[in-house]
Amino acid sequence: MKLAIWFDIDCPNCFLAIKQFYRLYHYMGYRLEEDEITFYPIRLNPTLKTNTEKTYLEAFRSHSYLKRRKQEKAIKNFIILGQDEGINFNFEKLFPLNTTKALQLIHYTQKYEKDKLEAVILKLFENYFLHFKNLDDDAFLIKFAQKFKLNTDKVKEMYKQGTFIQTLENDAKRANRLGVASVPLFIFNEDRALLGYYGDEKVKEMIVDAHLASKL
């Protein structure tokens, strides 16, 4: 199976969908080394400045195209859906986050230490959404890299050189060409797509069908 996953790290729907995907994928007995799963980090708000004194809700309301009533409904839905995945969202404690540095770390891990990619992505989500950590802080991210036994010298050099900034910009252009306007987006075998967070049965169906199609 070939799978492309477009996402951003401050996207609650992405946290829900990616955690669900891995849960179902492993439960169904599939193996990561037998499939080609590629993550495409995309910054939904590349110019957004991290501000730990401001709430996530304030930033969401200022950047979202939804009207106020629909915004409030969306937030409530995230909280309800999060319970199904064991995620206790608390948007009052969250703050607006520029995700550039976190996404650079994901790019680094995917390229050089891919066996740790699943754990790194899920833990970054958890640190932001559940523990309210600043993923735009170099010192925190270096400690994070050390915890996962990533090559911290290479990680430090990556941040110093801005190694994957151009990659993020290229991915944004590619997303524009492909018409990727919303995330999370799962594209199976460059053929079928799943946009957003769905029930388990739908996701399992997509995973099974993609594996069957890849064997034809």
Side-chain angles (χ1 to χ4, degrees):
M1 178 185 75
K2 187 175 183 180
L3 175 61
I5 304 175
W6 293 83
F7 76 107
D8 198 354
I9 209 71
D10 69 339
C11 162
N13 235 9
C14 297
F15 187 11
L16 287 166
I18 291 174
K19 184 172 182 180
Q20 175 197 46
F21 168 77
Y22 275 123
R23 172 172 59 80
L24 296 176
Y25 183 87
H26 292 302
Y27 174 78
M28 296 166 72
Y30 294 112
R31 298 168 64 86
L32 293 172
E33 61 268 25
E34 295 176 357
D35 290 317
E36 184 181 339
I37 300 175
T38 305
F39 282 86
Y40 291 93
I42 180 171
R43 294 174 294 179
L44 297 177
N45 297 300
T47 61
L48 180 69
K49 292 184 179 180
T50 299
N51 186 345
T52 58
E53 302 300 318
K54 193 175 182 180
T55 70
Y56 182 95
L57 293 178
E58 290 177 284
F60 178 78
R61 288 164 182 157
S62 64
H63 284 87
S64 176
Y65 65 90
L66 297 175
K67 292 184 179 180
R68 182 63 175 265
R69 185 176 297 179
K70 289 185 176 180
Q71 289 177 353
E72 293 173 352
K73 184 178 180 179
I75 292 297
K76 289 180 181 178
N77 284 340
F78 288 142
I79 293 172
I80 293 170
L81 292 173
Q83 294 171 355
D84 294 336
E85 292 298 331
I87 301 170
N88 296 313
F89 286 119
N90 186 337
F91 294 98
E92 295 293 343
K93 289 186 176 182
L94 277 179
F95 51 88
L97 174 74
N98 184 293
T99 60
T100 299
K101 291 179 180 178
L103 298 184
Q104 284 179 272
L105 186 61
I106 290 171
H107 267 302
Y108 166 83
T109 307
Q110 180 161 248
K111 184 172 182 178
Y112 296 110
E113 306 191 47
K114 195 169 184 177
D115 60 310
K116 301 172 184 177
L117 184 60
E118 175 186 349
V120 165
I121 290 176
L122 291 178
K123 191 57 70 172
L124 283 172
F125 274 125
E126 289 178 15
N127 270 281
Y128 177 57
F129 281 106
L130 303 183
H131 305 300
F132 319 111
K133 300 298 184 180
N134 184 357
L135 305 187
D136 192 25
D137 179 74
D138 285 12
F140 172 79
L141 289 171
I142 295 302
K143 289 181 180 178
F144 180 94
Q146 290 173 336
K147 182 177 180 180
F148 281 90
K149 294 182 170 56
L150 300 178
N151 187 318
T152 51
D153 288 336
K154 287 187 176 180
V155 171
K156 290 177 182 177
E157 185 65 18
M158 172 196 72
Y159 284 127
K160 182 179 179 181
Q161 300 295 332
T163 307
F164 291 103
I165 296 295
Q166 188 60 54
T167 305
L168 288 170
E169 293 175 355
N170 291 340
D171 282 347
K173 293 176 182 177
R174 182 177 183 182
N176 187 57
R177 290 196 304 271
L178 294 174
V180 178
S182 183
V183 292
L185 176 64
F186 295 74
I187 304 177
F188 295 85
N189 295 329
E190 300 181 336
D191 179 31
R192 300 182 65 191
L194 198 64
L195 175 63
Y197 176 73
Y198 288 80
D200 282 4
E201 292 308 312
K202 177 64 175 178
V203 177
K204 286 193 289 186
E205 176 189 331
M206 294 290 286
I207 294 172
V208 170
D209 288 351
H211 277 96
L212 290 174
S214 66
K215 294 177 181 179
L216 296 177

